[in-house]
Amino acid sequence: MKIIMLGAPGAGKGTQAKQIAAKYDIPHISTGDIFRANIKNNTELGQKAKTYMDQGLLVPDELTCDLVVDRIQQDDCKTGFVLDGFPRTIPQAEALENALAKLGQSMDYAIDVDVPDENIVNRMSGRRACLKCGATYHIVSIPPKKEGVCDNCGSELVIRDDDKPETVQKRLNVYHEQTQPLIDFYSNKGILKSVDGTQPMDRVFADIVNILGA
Ligand code: AP5
Ligand code: MG
Ligand code: ZN
């Protein structure tokens, strides 16, 4: 099963993608997580990506597409994968489509997690992330058992550099300009499904399982 998660920054793509990956036993591929891991390890890719990410801008397609196209051809992707945060532009969607076509494949679902802008800023200001294992919390709706500490791995939780309110607003603008057109793109391909992302997280997941099948 090959799935794309669509949705605004903070809509819950990552939260849902992790659960999908666990339930259907497929890899969770988050370009944001890959860039953040590269920043943490101070790689050349990380240094390049950081200048864009800190401003709330998209990392250029040429740094992003090859990375994903390589990743989805690895062995663990044979039975499928869930893409989180990619594609984010029409050229990225086309690059993905072309790469899969060469393998005689295509995407099965694009799931749009729909959350209005009003809800987003609040969610982001409460988000806490574990940079070690990728777990995400919210200080009010999904708190860790011990404040500031990851339930999974015991590492310290941090506020992401791009979660400052002014950067969040910038990311929302970028989303509407560059990523939202993908909703029509995948609707035209006949694979778009929409879920109400303002519901509690387990209800959103139940709606997704309804779409994908148990
Ligand atoms: P990325 O890491 O993909 O960030 P994003 O799209 O802005 O999305 P987020 O990760 O912020 O939100 P999410 O939808 O995953 O929500 P989450 O589950 O965490 O990208 C970061 C940057 O990297 C980009 O700005 C760009 O610069 C670059 N980049 C990445 N991919 C790129 C690409 N393909 N091309 C170019 N550049 C790229 O949830 C948010 C919060 O809400 C959490 O605290 C969570 O606990 C909480 N929450 C989740 N669900 C619920 C719920 N149902 N109810 C209440 N709270 C909830
Ligand atoms: Mg995410
Ligand atoms: Zn952790």
Side-chain angles (χ1 to χ4, degrees):
M1 194 150 37
K2 294 188 282 298
I3 305 161
I4 296 167
M5 302 304 291
L6 294 175
K13 299 181 297 295
T15 302
Q16 297 301 328
K18 279 175 204 128
Q19 294 195 63
I20 294 170
K23 180 171 169 72
Y24 297 96
D25 199 19
I26 50 177
H28 167 210
I29 303 172
S30 159
T31 40
D33 287 354
I34 294 171
F35 290 138
R36 281 185 289 277
N38 275 276
I39 291 171
K40 199 171 168 223
N41 297 326
N42 203 21
T43 68
E44 199 186 328
L45 174 65
Q47 287 170 8
K48 285 184 187 155
K50 185 171 167 52
T51 56
Y52 299 95
M53 290 171 74
D54 284 353
Q55 297 177 68
L57 299 172
L58 294 185
V59 176
D61 289 344
E62 57 269 27
L63 293 180
T64 310
C65 291
D66 291 350
L67 182 104
V68 177
V69 166
D70 287 347
R71 179 67 188 89
I72 62 175
Q73 294 186 48
Q74 288 172 18
D75 272 354
D76 63 336
C77 291
K78 284 216 163 71
T79 56
F81 47 83
V82 52
L83 293 179
D84 160 16
F86 182 96
R88 254 182 153 90
T89 62
I90 298 278
Q92 288 183 12
E94 288 168 343
L96 174 66
E97 194 172 33
N98 293 338
L100 286 171
K102 281 187 196 144
L103 306 170
Q105 297 175 14
S106 60
M107 294 304 298
D108 299 308
Y109 297 97
I111 300 176
D112 178 38
V113 183
D114 187 24
V115 176
D117 287 10
E118 306 85 89
N119 304 33
I120 298 283
V121 180
N122 166 37
R123 276 199 190 180
M124 304 298 232
S125 60
R127 171 162 58 188
R128 297 294 180 271
C130 174
L131 295 183
K132 181 135 185 251
C133 77
T136 308
Y137 303 86
H138 187 280
I139 49 173
V140 179
S141 52
I142 311 160
K145 291 195 183 79
K146 182 164 181 249
E147 196 185 316
V149 178
C150 179
D151 292 352
N152 279 349
C153 74
S155 298
E156 186 195 353
L157 299 176
V158 299
I159 300 178
R160 264 170 50 176
D161 287 340
D162 58 351
D163 276 350
K164 293 187 292 268
E166 61 277 19
T167 314
V168 170
Q169 190 53 55
K170 184 75 197 271
R171 285 161 64 199
L172 277 171
N173 296 343
V174 167
Y175 167 76
H176 289 302
E177 278 164 30
Q178 302 193 54
T179 306
Q180 211 171 16
L182 292 178
I183 293 181
D184 280 344
F185 181 92
Y186 286 113
S187 172
N188 291 335
K189 307 265 173 211
I191 62 167
L192 183 78
K193 304 282 176 187
S194 219
V195 294
D196 175 1
T198 65
Q199 305 176 91
M201 160 180 136
D202 50 339
R203 294 279 299 280
V204 180
F205 187 59
D207 285 354
I208 292 175
V209 171
N210 257 329
I211 292 166
L212 301 178

